[in-house]
Amino acid sequence: MFKTLIMQTSLITKAQVEKAFSMQEYIDTVEKVFKLYGEGKVEMPSKVYLSFEKGDLRSMPASIPDMKIAGVKNVNVHPGNKDLPVVMATVTLIDPENGFPLAIMDGTYLTGMRTGAAGAVAAKYLSREDATTAGFIGAGQQAHTQLEGLMLVRKISRVLVHDMSEEHMKKFAYDVKAKYGIAAEAVSADEVCKADIVTTTTPSRTPVLDSVGKGTHINAIGADAPGKQEINPEVLKDALVVIDDWEQASHSGEINVPLKKGVVSKEDIYANIGEIVCGKKACRESADQITVFDSTGLAIQDISCASEIFRKLQSEDLQKIKFF
Amino acid sequence: MFKTLIMQTSLITKAQVEKAFSMQEYIDTVEKVFKLYGEGKVEMPSKVYLSFEKGDLRSMPASIPDMKIAGVKNVNVHPGNKDLPVVMATVTLIDPENGFPLAIMDGTYLTGMRTGAAGAVAAKYLSREDATTAGFIGAGQQAHTQLEGLMLVRKISRVLVHDMSEEHMKKFAYDVKAKYGIAAEAVSADEVCKADIVTTTTPSRTPVLDSVGKGTHINAIGADAPGKQEINPEVLKDALVVIDDWEQASHSGEINVPLKKGVVSKEDIYANIGEIVCGKKACRESADQITVFDSTGLAIQDISCASEIFRKLQSEDLQKIKFF
């Protein structure tokens, strides 16, 4: 599939990644790889963590035989970074046929986009088809990306937003107006919860979402480390809860704290998103049902999207290196 | 320590790695990092495996706070490769201060050298000081590297070798003569076992070393996957057995098969090499004792050596890329 006989590894920058792939392409790719995951057709060992004084590194390997690709994403989180981004990621793509490192690329932009795409795929399968209002608790960068995804799977005409930072809210409202011509309404967290689709993207360790109305779909994006949670566990108990991966979600996703406290148990988890996408488990049963997607972010999302981006950039004049 | 504010990632090729670092430097670095390992001062999660139809990929992360470095080595093994090397490795070095990817470098040459260095460090601490004969079962590339290491820690004046391949033996003898002026004697495996230090570097799944004389030190290098073994388990039962890492050795090292068969148990393992190097455990007790080092290869060896090589190459005109 890839021309490896020249034995050069392609190097791909953030600017190139940004231009190469649209949100629709991220959504299509993530949907496809969630399906493969549901069918048991991927290999994805647990994320490996290295802990530093000021942050951490997560090494995320995955193999997707049906896409003829494998790879490892290395991504750091250093909350105190000033001159450098807080999160920086690189992806190494490997040809499973011969082990050759096909490409090393920026994974930072891709990480944000594939997370937005996961929210969109979850909303496509779990939210009401007639959902029109999107609410956001947390208005940082990931809220923008989540909305970009939702716009492509539901006819969103109203946007509600709440954030502790006035600045974040203003920027969000400005961008939403500029991009989609919609006035994002700054409201209380409780008001946000009246939306048809509520997306939480905060770094909170105590619930920021207390209750939602009937028929709401929640994309719980923020929790990605032990101790983090955004949603009142009582909401989870009444809802159809879908995770991305049991290993990761129970370790560091939205359900990790309520699981440890015994408020919810493994039996309360309805399905993983792969089982939903591949049709092994049904979607929502009624218009009244509350659905929750607990997203932690999977290596298969990164490796599948990175592979498609590399494929698209093959014909371009990429910087290359002959390592060996 | 490193200049990261320019935000460019250095790219280092095999040719540059080869020139940068001598075997003595690999030995010094591996000895230093084994000591840190023995003192509990490194973070090294288990190797992660991805399995492909024709080979595999091993992702090996490690953090060494005392050396202010962390990183991940990705290394494949594709035995059927024809146009490409069977083993290809890249190392991504990360600055633990801010998570920035400092360098991405060839790890193929380094993998061979740090393995030779581990054998040398083990021989330095475990073999008899008056050892002069080095024996090799298996005369492939790793035998060359192991001998190069041994020459720096013991006064080797005689070399014995056995290999199923005449070609390997001839090449080995030719190289040893050219490099050290010693005539490597092609003998039976049993004859090799009369050497003071015996090194096994075969891919065997049945023992190739049956018994050794009193006082011998064995470096068991070949076994690196479940099911592989090179040494008659009876030898292990009578010997002082030192491993590099319990997790890895019990999974895929020389001891993995005898452990599974119940021929040896965890209690039969005397120490890990880190405990020996940092002085927590004593070296050999007598000139008659048989000692065995079971080497599987640790990520800390790769990351420490890669870091030192990067440091040495800082002043050179390296190819760089600004990923983000």
Side-chain angles (χ1 to χ4, degrees):
Chain A
M1 175 178 68
F2 297 114
K3 289 177 202 152
T4 56
L5 287 180
I6 45 167
M7 289 180 61
Q8 289 204 315
T9 302
S10 295
L11 302 164
I12 304 174
T13 66
K14 183 160 179 266
Q16 290 169 318
V17 171
E18 280 180 12
K19 266 193 282 183
F21 220 51
S22 69
M23 178 52 93
Q24 187 61 56
E25 289 171 300
Y26 281 98
I27 293 173
D28 293 344
T29 306
V30 167
E31 182 174 2
K32 186 172 157 188
V33 85
F34 278 168
K35 181 167 179 286
L36 292 171
Y37 176 80
E39 293 167 347
K41 291 181 178 170
V42 304
E43 189 182 6
M44 187 176 66
S46 297
K47 279 185 202 185
V48 180
Y49 288 77
L50 291 177
S51 305
F52 312 129
E53 212 177 309
K54 298 178 183 172
D56 64 36
L57 184 80
R58 297 138 199 222
S59 187
M60 302 167 65
S63 171
I64 312 166
D66 277 36
M67 297 177 76
K68 295 185 172 31
I69 199 71
V72 181
K73 180 172 87 165
N74 293 323
V75 55
N76 77 301
V77 180
H78 280 70
N81 273 3
K82 294 280 177 264
D83 297 330
L84 286 169
V86 168
V87 172
M88 291 171 282
T90 54
V91 175
T92 303
L93 287 179
I94 303 283
D95 189 338
E97 269 293 294
N98 51 33
F100 187 77
L102 298 163
I104 299 172
M105 61 202 287
D106 167 56
T108 315
Y109 180 74
L110 178 154
T111 298
M113 292 297 278
R114 61 76 152 150
T115 306
V121 173
K124 176 177 168 182
Y125 284 85
L126 295 170
S127 76
R128 295 195 330 267
E129 281 192 37
D130 61 356
T132 54
T133 310
F136 293 87
I137 301 182
Q141 187 51 49
Q142 187 50 227
H144 297 244
T145 315
Q146 290 291 328
L147 176 58
E148 189 178 349
L150 291 181
M151 296 298 291
L152 295 170
V153 296
R154 289 291 180 262
K155 292 198 175 70
I156 303 299
S157 56
R158 198 175 164 215
V159 174
L160 309 174
V161 60
H162 178 77
D163 195 298
M164 286 163 63
S165 150
E166 276 291 329
E167 195 190 323
H168 278 183
M169 276 206 285
K170 274 186 189 160
K171 185 175 185 315
F172 185 76
Y174 180 86
D175 286 358
V176 171
K177 183 77 188 169
K179 205 162 180 178
Y180 311 110
I182 300 173
E185 302 161 43
V187 295
S188 68
D190 286 350
E191 282 296 312
V192 166
C193 291
K194 292 177 181 165
D196 301 322
I197 301 171
V198 177
T199 302
T200 59
T201 59
T202 73
S204 188
R205 291 178 171 266
T206 51
V208 292
L209 183 157
D210 193 45
S211 73
V212 291
K214 285 181 179 174
T216 307
H217 171 68
I218 302 169
N219 275 332
I221 309 295
D224 65 345
K228 286 194 181 176
Q229 67 173 144
E230 302 183 276
I231 296 171
N232 182 344
E234 295 301 320
V235 173
L236 299 179
K237 283 167 72 177
D238 291 338
L240 197 75
V241 178
V242 175
I243 56 175
D244 54 6
D245 175 76
W246 168 252
E247 201 80 37
Q248 288 190 193
S250 59
H251 174 260
S252 52
E254 182 58 39
I255 60 172
N256 89 82
V257 176
L259 274 174
K260 264 157 222 143
K261 289 187 177 161
V263 187
V264 301
S265 69
K266 191 168 181 177
E267 289 67 45
D268 295 322
I269 311 304
Y270 171 65
N272 69 52
I273 187 71
E275 293 170 317
I276 301 278
V277 174
C278 81
K280 277 187 186 167
K281 294 273 183 91
C283 304
R284 66 165 50 236
E285 287 156 357
S286 73
D288 281 356
Q289 199 166 32
I290 294 168
T291 52
V292 176
F293 174 53
D294 177 1
S295 167
T296 61
L298 307 184
I300 49 170
Q301 295 168 242
D302 300 303
I303 303 309
S304 61
C305 292
S307 170
E308 291 298 312
I309 290 166
F310 174 53
R311 192 191 307 264
K312 281 195 78 172
L313 289 171
Q314 288 261 5
S315 56
E316 303 218 354
D317 191 24
L318 296 172
Q319 189 179 339
K320 291 188 180 170
I321 184 167
K322 188 179 174 304
F323 275 119
F324 4 81
Chain B
M1 174 177 68
F2 297 112
K3 287 178 202 150
T4 56
L5 287 180
I6 46 167
M7 289 181 59
Q8 289 204 315
T9 303
S10 296
L11 302 164
I12 304 174
T13 66
K14 184 159 178 267
Q16 290 169 318
V17 170
E18 280 181 13
K19 265 194 282 184
F21 221 51
S22 69
M23 178 53 92
Q24 186 62 55
E25 289 173 301
Y26 281 98
I27 293 174
D28 293 344
T29 306
V30 168
E31 182 173 3
K32 187 172 157 189
V33 85
F34 278 168
K35 180 167 180 286
L36 292 171
Y37 176 81
E39 293 167 345
K41 292 182 177 169
V42 304
E43 188 182 5
M44 188 175 65
S46 297
K47 278 185 204 186
V48 179
Y49 287 77
L50 292 177
S51 305
F52 312 128
E53 212 177 310
K54 298 179 183 170
D56 64 35
L57 184 79
R58 297 137 199 225
S59 187
M60 303 168 64
S63 171
I64 312 166
D66 278 35
M67 297 176 78
K68 296 186 176 23
I69 199 71
V72 181
K73 179 172 86 163
N74 293 324
V75 56
N76 78 299
V77 180
H78 280 71
N81 273 2
K82 295 278 178 265
D83 296 331
L84 287 169
V86 168
V87 172
M88 292 171 280
T90 54
V91 176
T92 302
L93 287 178
I94 303 283
D95 189 339
E97 269 293 293
N98 51 34
F100 188 76
L102 297 163
I104 299 172
M105 60 203 288
D106 168 57
T108 315
Y109 181 74
L110 178 155
T111 298
M113 292 297 277
R114 62 75 152 150
T115 307
V121 172
K124 176 177 168 185
Y125 284 85
L126 295 170
S127 77
R128 295 194 331 264
E129 281 192 38
D130 60 358
T132 54
T133 311
F136 294 86
I137 301 181
Q141 188 50 50
Q142 187 51 225
H144 297 244
T145 315
Q146 290 291 330
L147 176 58
E148 189 178 349
L150 292 181
M151 296 298 292
L152 295 170
V153 296
R154 289 290 181 264
K155 292 199 177 70
I156 304 299
S157 56
R158 197 175 165 215
V159 174
L160 309 174
V161 62
H162 179 77
D163 194 299
M164 284 162 63
S165 150
E166 276 291 329
E167 195 190 324
H168 278 182
M169 276 207 285
K170 274 186 188 160
K171 185 176 185 316
F172 185 77
Y174 180 87
D175 286 359
V176 171
K177 183 77 191 174
K179 204 161 178 179
Y180 312 110
I182 300 173
E185 302 160 43
V187 295
S188 68
D190 286 349
E191 281 296 311
V192 166
C193 291
K194 292 178 181 165
D196 302 321
I197 301 171
V198 177
T199 303
T200 59
T201 59
T202 73
S204 188
R205 291 178 173 265
T206 50
V208 293
L209 182 156
D210 192 47
S211 73
V212 292
K214 286 181 179 176
T216 307
H217 171 69
I218 303 169
N219 274 332
I221 309 293
D224 66 345
K228 286 193 181 177
Q229 68 173 143
E230 302 183 276
I231 297 170
N232 182 345
E234 295 301 320
V235 173
L236 299 179
K237 283 167 73 177
D238 291 338
L240 197 73
V241 178
V242 175
I243 56 175
D244 53 7
D245 174 77
W246 170 252
E247 200 79 36
Q248 289 190 192
S250 59
H251 173 261
S252 52
E254 182 57 39
I255 60 172
N256 89 83
V257 176
L259 274 175
K260 262 155 224 146
K261 289 188 177 161
V263 188
V264 302
S265 68
K266 190 168 181 177
E267 289 65 46
D268 294 322
I269 311 305
Y270 171 66
N272 68 52
I273 188 71
E275 293 170 318
I276 302 277
V277 174
C278 81
K280 277 186 186 168
K281 293 273 184 89
C283 304
R284 67 163 52 235
E285 286 156 356
S286 73
D288 281 355
Q289 199 165 32
I290 294 168
T291 52
V292 176
F293 174 54
D294 176 1
S295 168
T296 61
L298 307 184
I300 50 170
Q301 294 167 243
D302 300 302
I303 303 307
S304 61
C305 292
S307 171
E308 292 298 312
I309 289 166
F310 174 54
R311 192 191 309 263
K312 281 194 79 173
L313 289 172
Q314 289 262 4
S315 57
E316 303 218 353
D317 191 24
L318 296 172
Q319 189 179 340
K320 290 186 182 173
I321 184 167
K322 187 178 173 305
F323 276 118
F324 1 82

